[in-house]
Amino acid sequence: MAYFPFFMDLEGREGLVVGGGAVAARKARKLLPYGPRLTVAAPEILPEIEALPGLALVRRAFEPAMLEGKFFVIAATDSREANREIAGLCRERGILVNAVDDKEDCTFLFPALVRRGELTVGVSTAGASPSAAVWVKERVNGLLPEDFGALLDYLASLRPAVRERVPEAERAGAFARLFSECMEQGFPLEEEALAAILGGAPRSGKVYLVGAGCGAADLITVRGLRLLERCEAVVYDDLLDQALLDAAPAGAERLYVGKRRGRHSMAQEEINALLIAKAREGKTVVRLKGGDPFVFGRGGEEALALQAAGVAWEYVPGVTSAVAVPGAAGIPVTHRGVSRGVHVVTAHTADTPDGLPEDLEALARLKEGTLVFLMGLSQLERIALRLTEAGLSPGTPAAVVSGKSAPRAVRGTLGDIAEKAREAGTEAPAVIVVGGTAGMDLRA
């Protein structure tokens, strides 16, 4: 059964740690920063416990009289029977007790703790796996800036000004803006920015063009994830892991602008206008794109539109499918002695008769390079034909890699890759690789 995580005020509360060894030392170190009046009782007490400030030391074995007036007790002797006896006495007297390594005799458990000033995060698995709790703790710890405690002190110092200068109905929004601005720009805030928030001035929004990577949610960059976790609107396409949308705050707008049934649900000009409108509402907007926004993601068009509208924006790179999808199937896009360069090519060009780039023949003459085609599965046969007509051998290695979380590769040559892909039932989205590395398989 899971334990509810109450947070208690221990300042000045009477606590007793029974035991003088390493476990008792660890428990005392966790408790002392929270201000209890702590007594350690044991016939022998480690020097590291003696060195801890603010402890009362009793150098004798446990006696029931030691429980008098205690709010909580830690039974941390090296005897399980003694710990159980102490726990039983505590339960009889209504005293909170933790018996180390014996969940059944505990009325409370010690969580794995992350602390940054006034912030305390406690992680518990209800005793199922302390190692799992530590694993979660370490990841939470890694998400928090080192100066997060100082940030909380700064925000606390602004609370009186917010109460004095901001109408009650607008205070929650003001507090949210203060935190968001501090996380984005650092602290203390410049006077002009602070005055704008406290004076209720319209807030300037910002758009982040964020690459989500391709496939699993954890391929997004740390910066991209942090922006997503505190955005107020997320504008997203297809081909994204649902876990990324779940990472956005519960109250954030989620605006889908991808494809439905092979047709754009929103024209690019409409997407540009939407980004501008949400920013002008004062919102922090994450424009979440599969792969990288600037690799055939039309991120450049959105950036130009935001620039022209005077809206602040920032580019956050992502892992492009042109490299990651072949790599997941064991195909490197460059390799010493095989491929000295790579060209990423779109197979959907609006101003050519067949949708392929006009200079495809020039690319075919790059004998020691790799060609990577995106959005080209429906054009596969035509791609192979034009490359061979331009002089590439029909025996040139080629591969088609499809799928997101577990990419599946169909390998062949320019002469037979289209037929093999059809026989395998390959579906879009897919990445086409042509060149010597397409014949490699470096999967572990």
Side-chain angles (χ1 to χ4, degrees), residues 209-441:
L209 306 177
V210 177
C214 48
D218 58 4
L219 288 177
I220 194 171
T221 64
V222 173
R223 176 160 177 72
L225 181 60
R226 286 177 176 168
L227 289 168
L228 185 60
E229 288 172 339
R230 64 173 189 265
C231 73
E232 293 154 295
V234 55
V235 180
Y236 67 99
D237 294 319
D238 286 312
L239 311 181
L240 295 175
D241 191 318
Q242 180 63 39
L244 289 174
L245 296 180
D246 294 341
E253 287 188 87
R254 289 161 170 79
L255 304 166
Y256 173 77
V257 295
K259 291 183 178 180
R260 291 190 179 93
R261 298 183 181 90
R263 296 171 55 242
H264 281 290
S265 62
M266 187 176 287
Q268 186 60 50
E269 292 75 13
E270 294 178 280
I271 296 173
N272 298 346
L274 176 64
L275 295 175
I276 292 166
K278 290 301 169 184
R280 286 178 173 167
E281 290 175 14
K283 293 184 175 180
T284 298
V285 183
V286 166
R287 172 65 171 112
L288 195 62
K289 292 173 169 288
D292 183 281
F294 285 176
V295 180
F296 299 122
R298 308 191 80 168
E301 296 174 48
E302 292 169 0
L304 287 172
L306 293 167
Q307 238 171 13
V311 172
W313 66 277
E314 185 177 319
Y315 160 71
V316 181
V319 179
T320 174
S321 60
V323 174
V325 171
I331 300 172
V333 294
T334 65
H335 190 79
R336 188 165 67 170
V338 180
S339 173
R340 297 181 179 181
V342 58
H343 287 265
V344 181
V345 185
T346 176
H348 284 280
T349 302
D351 54 358
T352 63
D354 63 2
L356 295 174
E358 290 181 347
D359 57 357
L360 197 60
E361 285 72 18
L363 295 176
R365 288 193 290 271
L366 300 173
K367 304 297 184 182
E368 295 187 5
T370 302
L371 300 180
V372 177
F373 293 86
L374 303 183
M375 302 171 288
L377 186 60
S378 64
Q379 291 274 64
L380 180 55
E381 192 165 358
R382 181 65 180 160
I383 290 169
L385 177 62
R386 281 192 58 183
L387 289 175
T388 53
E389 287 178 345
L392 271 182
S393 166
T396 302
V400 180
V401 188
S402 63
K404 291 187 285 185
S405 57
R408 188 166 61 97
V410 176
R411 289 174 166 81
T413 66
L414 280 178
D416 62 15
I417 190 63
E419 181 181 355
K420 285 188 172 182
R422 277 195 300 271
E423 290 174 352
T426 303
E427 297 181 351
V431 175
I432 301 165
V433 186
V434 178
T437 63
M440 300 176 69
D441 189 348

Side-chain angles (χ1 to χ4, degrees), residues 145 148 151-152 154-155 158 171-190 193-194 197 203-208 223 226-233 249 282-286 314:
F148 200 81
L151 167 60
L152 293 180
Y154 173 68
L155 292 173
L158 297 176
R171 285 176 192 166
F175 285 128
R177 286 179 64 183
L178 285 169
F179 175 72
S180 181
E181 292 292 322
C182 287
M183 288 294 288
E184 180 61 32
Q185 301 182 28
F187 64 94
L189 294 176
E190 294 182 2
L194 184 58
I197 296 172
R203 175 188 175 193
S204 297
K206 186 171 182 179
V207 177
Y208 294 89
R223 176 160 177 72
R226 286 177 176 168
L227 289 168
L228 185 60
E229 288 172 339
R230 64 173 189 265
C231 73
E232 293 154 295
K283 293 184 175 180
T284 298
V285 183
V286 166
E314 185 177 319

